[in-house]
Amino acid sequence: MSLLTKCLIFLFLVASDMGLCYDRSNKYRILSVVLSDKGRRLRIKLRGDILEYNDDFKRRRAYISSREKMRKRQRTVLITILLLILAVLLLGIGAGFFIKKNGGLPGFSKKNVIETSSDPSDGESINLSLTESGSEKDGSSETPASTTESYPYNTGDTALNDILNSAHAKFMTYDYDAAIDLLNSNPDYAENPDVKELLASCEETKATLVRADVTKITHIFFHSLIMDNAKAFDGDSDEKGYNQVMTTKSEFLKILDSMYAKGYVLVKLHDIAHEETDENGNARMVPGTILLPPGKIPFVMSQDDLCYYEYMTGDGFASRMIVGEDGKPTCEMVMDDGSVSVGSYDLVPLLEDFIAEHPDFSYRGARAVLAFTGYQGVLGYRTDPSYESSNPNYEADKETVRQVAQCLRDNGWELASHSWGHINFGKRSFEDVKTDSDKWASRVESLIGKTDILLYPFGSDVGDWHPYTPENQKYEYLHQLGFRYFCNVDSSQHWVQFGNDYVRQGRRNLDGYRMYYDLPETDPKKDHLSDLFDVTQVFDRERPVPVAPMS
C-alpha cells in the first residue's frame, strides 16, 4: 500500500469513524479504529487527551463541546481530502496529456510490465517481464534500443534454470524437438517436476501439430516506415510517393496486433523450400516442412529498399541502422535539434520489440526478409564507390555495414537483392539486367554476404505466370549468380510456384495505396486485406486523401 493511500485512509477515518467513548473511570477518550485491509487487521489508534469530569452537567457540556469541535474537524478533513483528490486528478490528467503528446516521458521506458503469454498447448500461462519500446505517436521521443526479459523459471539451481528457460524459449517458438532434447540432456533432472511438466507439454503439443501447405503461404511487404507523419506529409514533392508506397508506424503496429490475434506466425522464406542435391549430384528445390498447432497460419514478411536514401532526410524516417548495445539491430534517427536518437525507428527494431513481447509470433526464430539496392549505399551508409571521394568515413562505413549485416543474420533476418539500381527487370534488356546484377554482386553482396533471394523492384518479374525455362535468358543468368528465390508483387492472398531449381512467390503491398483503395468508402467492392486486418481500423487518418493512384 502506497504512502498516499495510507494517508487518505487515515484522513477518511478521522473524518468519519472517530468518536468519544465513556469508560468506567468517567473518562472520555477518542475511539480507536480498526480497518480490515485485504484480510489483514490494520489497527490505527488516534490517541487524544483524556476528558474527565465528575459533574454530569459539565460532563455533558464537555461532550457536546467536543462533538462540535469534532464536526468542525471532520469538515476540515473532508475538504482536505477533496482537495488532495482534486490535486491528484489534475496531476494525472496533466501527465496523461504530456505522455500522449510526447509519446512517453523523456528517457523513460515502461520496464517490468507483466505480460501473460499463452501456452499454445494447454492454455497455461507464463509471466514475462518486458520493456515496451516505441510510442503510440509518430515522431516520438527516444525509444529504448533493447528489451528486458525476465526468465519464467528460477529454481535456485543455475544449471537447471538454463535448461528450463532454454527449453521454454524453444517451446514458445514451436521447436518442440529442440525443447525435448534440452529437457532430456541431463539425467540428474529427469525427475524434476518442472522438467517433467514442460516435457509433457512439449509432447502433448507436438502430437497436435499440423503440416502447413507451403503453396498457400501469404507474403506481405513494406518499405521504410514513416515515423513522423507531419514531416512525411508536409506537402513537398515527395509527399505523393510516401503516401502511396510507405506505411506509417501506427499502421504497422496495428497490422502486427491484428495478425497476431488472428493466429499468424512469421516464417522464413527458406522454411517454404530448400535446395537439396540428389544421388546424381543435381540440385533441386524441396518443399519445406512447417509444423504448427491447429489454428496457426504461416506467413512471410519482407521490407524493400533498406538503404535510407538521401531524399528521405528530414522527412520523418530513420537515418541508418546500427548494432544496439544489446547486440540486436536497431536504428538511429536525427531529431529536430540535430541530435541523433537511437531506438525503434523502423520495421526491424519494431518487429524485434513485438517478437520479444510475443515470442510465439515467430516460427523458430524467424524474422523478415530485408532487400537492398546499392546505388546510394546500404543501411544508410554511403558505401557505393561513387561516394568514395565525398564520404570521409567510406572505408569505416563499409566495415560497419558488414558488422550490421552479420548482426541481422545472427538474429534471424534474411538478406536479399533488390537490384543495384532499382531497375525494372521485366522491361529492361538482358544487358541492363546483367550489368546491374554484376554491380550488385560487387558493391553490395561483397558487404552483406551471399544471398539467394531476389525481390524484384516494382514487383516486375522476368517472366509471366508460366514456369521459368532455360530459354529465359534473364532467369538463367540470375540463376547462375546463385538466386533461387524470386518474389514479384501480386495482390492475391497467396501465389507460390515450385520449379525444379527455384521458388517464386507473390507479395502483397501493405501501403497507403493498397489500404486507401480497400476502404469501404473508397470502393466497397474491393477486399484484398480482410484476411489480415480490418482496414478501417488500421488506415492512418493523418494521411492526405485521396491517395493518388499508381501510374
Side-chain angles (χ1 to χ4, degrees):
M1 186 183 298
S2 69
L3 179 61
L4 177 59
T5 304
K6 289 181 178 179
C7 291
L8 290 173
I9 290 173
F10 177 88
L11 292 170
F12 177 80
L13 292 171
V14 171
S16 59
D17 292 330
M18 187 177 72
L20 295 174
C21 68
Y22 175 76
D23 64 16
R24 292 180 181 178
S25 60
N26 292 327
K27 298 173 182 178
Y28 284 92
R29 297 178 184 271
I30 297 177
L31 280 174
S32 295
V33 290
V34 178
L35 175 70
S36 176
D37 178 32
K38 296 183 179 178
R40 300 189 298 273
R41 303 295 288 178
L42 176 63
R43 185 173 295 276
I44 302 174
K45 291 186 177 182
L46 310 176
R47 302 186 182 277
D49 294 332
I50 296 172
L51 306 177
E52 182 177 0
Y53 296 92
N54 293 321
D55 183 83
D56 287 339
F57 176 78
K58 292 181 178 180
R59 184 162 54 247
R60 287 195 298 272
R61 294 295 298 173
Y63 175 77
I64 293 169
S65 177
S66 297
R67 292 297 295 176
E68 289 296 326
K69 292 179 180 179
M70 190 182 307
R71 290 190 183 99
K72 291 180 180 179
R73 187 184 305 165
Q74 287 175 336
R75 286 194 295 270
T76 302
V77 172
L78 285 173
I79 292 171
T80 303
I81 290 173
L82 291 174
L83 289 174
L84 282 172
I85 293 173
L86 181 60
V88 170
L89 289 174
L90 290 174
L91 285 173
I93 293 171
F97 278 120
F98 181 87
I99 291 171
K100 183 177 180 181
K101 181 178 179 181
N102 295 279
L105 297 176
F108 178 83
S109 64
K110 294 184 282 184
K111 295 182 181 295
N112 299 324
V113 178
I114 300 301
E115 180 74 19
T116 300
S117 179
S118 298
D119 183 297
S121 63
D122 54 13
E124 296 177 357
S125 63
I126 296 295
N127 285 333
L128 300 177
S129 178
L130 308 169
T131 298
E132 293 184 16
S133 298
S135 66
E136 295 182 359
K137 182 175 181 181
D138 299 332
S140 65
S141 57
E142 179 173 349
T143 52
S146 64
T147 56
T148 301
E149 179 178 347
S150 66
Y151 296 105
Y153 292 96
N154 185 10
T155 65
D157 183 329
T158 302
L160 178 58
N161 288 343
D162 289 343
I163 291 173
L164 286 169
N165 289 316
S166 296
H168 180 263
K170 296 293 184 182
F171 174 83
M172 291 298 293
T173 57
Y174 312 100
D175 197 348
Y176 304 106
D177 287 334
I180 291 169
D181 289 343
L182 283 167
L183 294 169
N184 290 328
S185 63
N186 191 329
D188 294 340
Y189 299 124
E191 297 303 315
N192 178 271
D194 289 327
V195 170
K196 293 174 70 175
E197 182 180 12
L198 185 53
L199 192 59
S201 295
C202 290
E203 296 287 4
E204 291 169 6
T205 308
K206 184 179 175 182
T208 69
L209 298 181
V210 177
R211 181 169 180 169
D213 183 349
V214 294
T215 66
K216 295 182 179 180
I217 293 180
T218 199
H219 185 154
I220 63 173
F221 82 97
F222 305 88
H223 290 89
S224 296
L225 301 181
I226 298 170
M227 304 304 296
D228 189 333
N229 290 354
K231 293 179 180 177
F233 306 134
D234 58 358
D236 67 9
S237 59
D238 293 318
E239 178 187 274
K240 176 184 175 182
Y242 295 152
N243 204 20
Q244 290 174 318
V245 304
M246 304 298 197
T247 309
T248 68
K249 175 186 174 182
S250 66
E251 291 170 337
F252 178 71
L253 293 178
K254 289 176 183 177
I255 289 170
L256 293 185
D257 285 336
S258 174
M259 293 185 68
Y260 180 71
K262 288 176 177 287
Y264 281 93
V265 177
L266 180 63
V267 301
K268 292 184 177 182
L269 189 55
H270 283 82
D271 289 328
I272 294 178
H274 59 276
E275 193 173 50
E276 288 185 357
T277 303
D278 62 21
E279 63 276 7
N280 299 318
N282 299 317
R284 61 189 183 92
M285 295 300 291
V286 178
T289 301
I290 300 173
L291 298 173
L292 288 168
K296 296 295 183 180
I297 311 166
F299 79 102
V300 177
M301 181 190 295
S302 58
Q303 183 181 25
D304 292 359
D305 298 282
L306 191 55
C307 300
Y308 305 117
Y309 299 119
E310 291 177 331
Y311 73 86
M312 299 165 67
T313 302
D315 282 351
F317 297 91
S319 55
R320 63 181 182 177
M321 189 168 290
I322 63 171
V323 178
E325 293 181 357
D326 60 353
K328 291 187 175 294
T330 189
C331 288
E332 290 182 348
M333 185 171 178
V334 180
M335 301 290 103
D336 290 340
D337 61 0
S339 63
V340 176
S341 177
V342 176
S344 300
Y345 294 123
D346 200 0
L347 181 150
V348 169
L350 286 173
L351 185 58
E352 287 284 358
D353 294 343
F354 191 84
I355 292 174
E357 186 175 352
H358 308 286
D360 53 334
F361 190 61
S362 168
Y363 182 74
R364 303 188 179 187
R367 298 295 191 269
V369 181
L370 305 175
F372 309 95
T373 60
Y375 65 96
Q376 286 191 0
V378 181
L379 295 166
Y381 300 87
R382 304 306 166 213
T383 54
D384 189 74
S386 60
Y387 290 90
E388 187 170 6
S389 60
S390 58
N391 180 5
N393 302 314
Y394 180 72
E395 292 298 333
D397 283 353
K398 289 201 297 183
E399 181 57 33
T400 300
V401 167
R402 294 186 180 97
Q403 295 172 5
V404 176
Q406 188 58 51
C407 172
L408 289 165
R409 291 181 185 274
D410 292 343
N411 282 279
W413 300 85
E414 298 179 286
L415 308 187
S417 169
H418 200 47
S419 82
W420 174 81
H422 205 281
I423 68 170
N424 189 315
F425 275 49
K427 294 182 177 180
R428 300 288 282 270
S429 67
F430 168 74
E431 288 73 20
D432 288 344
V433 170
K434 181 178 183 303
T435 298
D436 183 274
S437 300
D438 291 343
K439 281 185 178 181
W440 195 90
S442 64
R443 301 182 181 190
V444 181
E445 194 172 55
S446 60
L447 299 178
I448 69 166
K450 191 70 176 175
T451 181
D452 54 5
I453 304 172
L454 173 60
L455 307 186
Y456 288 115
F458 308 103
S460 181
D461 206 318
V462 296
D464 59 17
W465 60 271
H466 293 93
Y468 292 145
T469 65
E471 290 71 35
N472 187 325
Q473 193 177 20
K474 296 177 185 177
Y475 163 71
E476 279 295 297
Y477 187 73
L478 294 170
H479 190 273
Q480 291 175 21
L481 293 178
F483 293 109
R484 298 293 183 270
Y485 300 82
F486 301 86
C487 297
N488 52 40
V489 174
D490 189 292
S491 61
S492 303
Q493 286 190 11
H494 41 72
W495 185 82
V496 180
Q497 183 184 89
F498 279 86
N500 289 330
D501 50 5
Y502 70 87
V503 172
R504 295 166 82 187
Q505 187 178 34
R507 301 189 299 153
R508 304 165 69 182
N509 52 307
L510 303 186
D511 50 28
Y513 168 79
R514 174 54 62 212
M515 287 188 282
Y516 175 74
Y517 287 98
D518 250 49
L519 287 170
E521 61 261 38
T522 306
D523 189 342
K525 297 179 181 179
K526 287 188 177 180
D527 179 12
H528 299 91
L529 304 172
S530 62
D531 59 312
L532 305 174
F533 54 85
D534 181 350
V535 68
T536 64
Q537 300 300 311
V538 171
F539 183 77
D540 195 326
R541 297 296 175 172
E542 291 185 1
R543 286 182 175 276
V545 291
V547 176
M550 304 295 289
S551 58

